[in-house]
Amino acid sequence: MAPIWRMRKRQRRGSGQMTKAANSHNNGLKALRWRLKTLLFVAWVVGYVAFLLSARRMWSGKYARSPLVRSLVANMMSDNDAAAADTQWYRCSPELLGDSVRPLFIQSHLDSGTKAFLKHSVEKSSWVLTQLYHSFVSTVLSPVVSRTSINGFLGRGSMFVFSVEQFQQLLGINPEWRAERLLDLGAGDGGVTEVMGGHFREVYTTEVSLSMKWHLQKRNYKVLDIDEWQRTGFQYDIISCLNLLDRCDDPLLLLQDIRDALVPHTGRLILAAVLPFQPYVEVGGQWQRPKHHLRVQGKTWEEQVTHLSEEVFRGAGFEVEAVTRLPYLCEGDMYNDYYVLDDAVFVLKASINPGESAE
């Protein structure tokens, strides 16, 4: 009979082998679970991306990706394509404008600056991983953060109102023209400010969004508070108010403040308004009616331009010097190459004898 100590040694050896086998089994199960989780996560990501790409093709194939823009990007712009762009975005029937406005209308056309913006927008919308990231962040933040601030944080949604050449044509200036001060109200990321800024020694901006203010400061523009620009102690040669009139609580008070802030006689206001005129203000990611609702009469672009010129601007103490029709373009996303609205862009000067306030 074997000694007891040998039997116990064999038992301990057998128990150790069983423990090692059990640990090895458990480790194998853990590795298997980890691999399965990894495969499931990868499969989910691939499925999510495939779904979004499929939705992108389905949506954009039906509603966007216009052949006109594709031909622009491919640099194969024909005379027919240019005519189509002019018909879609720049058309105006001068005979439908009021008698006082008709001779002031300037016909604009698709130019190289607009083509360059469209080309960049189309290229950017095809960056799949970037657009997926933008879509995710926008979905998470949109309930509590304004769309403007989200765009500023992500570096997307740049706007295009006019090219350098179109800006010069509107003001009737040459490339060498210089003035002292420009104020761009609601300047966004400063993309449109840059189009105008080369003509001025000092460029001032205003912006509510903190993320957009960062972009403006990065461009070395002087950022003023929204209640500061009227009380700086100096006046501005040009004030731009681009697509802001329908996004503020009191548009007539804004026009009055602008008039007071312009250099007398030579100061000019460049004002763009999306037509049809539909005023809303963004508060905490939600859209609501402004406190003072400016009503613009007319059903067509020409009728609303006439009412703005002869009633609203005249009542606010301005005269129209020039007006044109331009596309208000915004960078696209994974669903659309770009977004476009119809703009009326005015050049206004202060009236010698201001009219009655518009209602």
Side-chain angles (χ1 to χ4, degrees):
M1 184 174 179
I4 295 176
W5 63 272
R6 288 187 179 176
M7 294 178 62
R8 289 178 177 174
K9 186 176 181 180
R10 290 172 186 164
Q11 289 174 354
R12 285 196 299 270
R13 187 181 300 163
S15 176
Q17 292 174 347
M18 291 177 63
T19 301
K20 289 181 181 179
N23 289 338
S24 176
H25 179 70
N26 289 335
N27 290 336
L29 288 176
K30 288 180 180 179
L32 181 60
R33 290 194 191 102
W34 184 84
R35 291 192 187 101
L36 287 173
K37 289 179 180 179
T38 302
L39 288 173
L40 287 173
F41 176 75
V42 171
W44 177 83
V45 170
V46 171
Y48 180 67
V49 171
F51 168 76
L52 288 178
L53 291 176
S54 176
R56 181 181 192 265
R57 286 193 295 270
M58 178 182 67
W59 179 272
S60 59
K62 185 175 181 181
Y63 297 107
R65 312 298 190 216
S66 71
L68 170 61
V69 175
R70 287 301 181 190
S71 66
L72 290 174
V73 175
N75 293 320
M76 295 187 299
M77 188 75 174
S78 67
D79 292 339
N80 290 336
D81 292 328
D86 281 345
T87 300
Q88 292 176 26
W89 292 342
Y90 303 92
R91 69 181 184 277
C92 173
S93 300
E95 67 276 7
L96 299 180
L97 294 170
D99 293 339
S100 63
V101 184
R102 191 177 305 123
L104 307 176
F105 177 75
I106 296 175
Q107 181 64 60
S108 296
H109 301 278
L110 183 70
D111 65 1
S112 59
T114 309
K115 293 178 186 178
F117 179 85
L118 288 169
K119 181 178 181 179
H120 176 72
S121 182
V122 171
E123 291 173 349
K124 194 171 180 179
S125 71
S126 66
W127 300 346
V128 176
L129 294 179
T130 298
Q131 296 301 337
L132 287 172
Y133 170 68
H134 288 176
S135 177
F136 173 75
V137 173
S138 180
T139 301
V140 172
L141 296 181
S142 58
V144 293
V145 181
S146 71
R147 184 182 305 174
T148 302
S149 293
I150 293 173
N151 287 342
F153 171 72
L154 295 174
R156 71 170 189 179
S158 292
M159 304 294 187
F160 184 93
V161 180
F162 40 60
S163 65
V164 173
E165 292 77 12
Q166 290 165 343
F167 172 72
Q168 293 170 353
Q169 181 187 33
L170 269 173
L171 280 179
I173 59 176
N174 58 48
E176 289 73 35
W177 181 85
R178 294 293 182 273
E180 190 66 26
R181 297 186 187 95
L182 165 70
L183 171 64
D184 189 9
L185 298 173
D189 64 1
V192 182
T193 315
E194 187 176 12
V195 171
M196 304 179 285
H199 288 284
F200 301 90
R201 297 177 182 87
E202 298 178 10
V203 178
Y204 296 84
T205 62
T206 70
E207 181 54 57
V208 176
S209 166
L210 291 176
S211 59
M212 289 300 185
K213 285 182 179 180
W214 180 80
H215 283 285
L216 293 170
Q217 291 167 346
K218 190 177 179 181
R219 292 175 183 264
N220 295 320
Y221 297 140
K222 299 173 183 178
V223 183
L224 303 176
D225 291 337
I226 57 173
D227 295 322
E228 181 186 3
W229 61 272
Q230 312 93 320
R231 298 188 295 273
T232 56
F234 52 79
Q235 294 173 305
Y236 308 92
D237 297 280
I238 298 290
I239 296 179
S240 57
C241 178
L242 305 177
N243 303 298
L244 187 61
L245 203 65
D246 58 347
R247 293 294 178 263
C248 66
D249 269 327
D250 196 338
L252 294 181
L253 178 60
L254 175 62
L255 289 173
Q256 179 182 331
D257 288 340
I258 290 174
R259 189 179 188 277
D260 294 339
L262 285 170
V263 172
H265 307 301
T266 59
R268 294 295 183 269
L269 165 62
I270 299 180
L271 185 145
V274 173
L275 301 180
F277 193 80
Q278 297 175 337
Y280 284 94
V281 294
E282 188 178 10
V283 180
Q286 302 296 319
W287 294 98
Q288 60 187 35
R289 287 286 186 179
K291 295 177 181 177
H292 301 275
H293 188 186
L294 179 62
R295 289 177 172 82
V296 177
Q297 298 177 9
K299 295 182 179 179
T300 66
W301 186 89
E302 292 82 0
E303 289 173 346
Q304 293 207 350
V305 164
T306 299
H307 184 263
L308 283 168
S309 301
E310 297 180 348
E311 301 296 332
V312 176
F313 298 149
R314 185 176 297 174
F318 286 99
E319 296 178 17
V320 177
E321 275 196 338
V323 60
T324 190
R325 182 170 188 168
L326 292 171
Y328 178 31
L329 297 166
C330 175
E331 284 182 348
D333 49 30
M334 67 185 304
Y335 302 110
N336 293 278
D337 288 327
Y338 65 94
Y339 292 92
V340 60
L341 296 170
D342 289 323
D343 247 355
V345 184
F346 301 84
V347 177
L348 306 174
K349 66 178 181 179
S351 305
I352 298 176
N353 297 311
E356 297 297 326
S357 296
E359 298 296 337

